[in-house]
Amino acid sequence: MWIPFLAADLGNFFGGGASGYLIRRGWPLGAARKALVVFGGLGVTLLIPTIFTVNLYVITLLFALATFSYASFSTIANVLPTDLYASEAVATVSGMSGTGAGLGPSLRSD
């Protein structure tokens, strides 16, 4: 079951590399980033067919493709503050988003 984790590692490199490649080819920054976000979102849907199979190899392949796609997306999501905010504000914005992510679940009332 190590294959999906290796695929996620490769997806991290792919996300950054593909985005940089598209930008070098003349794509606007926003369009290059959005293309990877869409790719990642669509790729994660490959988990859906796993409920229709019991073949371990097919399940492993689908999980690997989904984790590759998710890691590609998450790489781009992590650099979005650098694209959207002035360099002086990036650390503050990143810290605030991390704080919000941590506080959000704890503020939920059941």
Side-chain angles (χ1 to χ4, degrees):
M1 295 315 302
W2 55 270
I3 293 171
F5 294 99
L6 177 62
D9 290 340
L10 296 173
N12 285 321
F13 289 108
F14 175 81
S19 176
Y21 174 78
L22 293 174
I23 292 166
R24 283 191 305 277
R25 300 279 299 171
W27 285 46
L29 179 70
R33 302 286 200 232
K34 288 175 188 172
L36 269 294
V37 167
V38 169
F39 166 78
L42 292 175
V44 172
T45 63
L46 291 172
L47 287 176
I48 296 169
T50 61
I51 64 172
F52 300 112
T53 184
V54 293
N55 184 318
L56 181 61
Y57 296 111
V58 173
I59 291 171
T60 302
L61 174 67
L62 291 170
F63 264 84
L65 291 171
T67 57
F68 178 90
S69 300
Y70 173 77
S72 298
F73 162 78
S74 68
T75 298
I76 298 306
N78 286 327
V79 300
L80 285 178
T82 64
D83 297 339
L84 300 173
Y85 296 96
S87 59
E88 308 84 44
V90 170
T92 301
V93 170
S94 294
M96 289 173 61
S97 67
T99 301
L103 286 177
S106 66
L107 296 176
R108 184 177 154 228
S109 63
D110 291 327

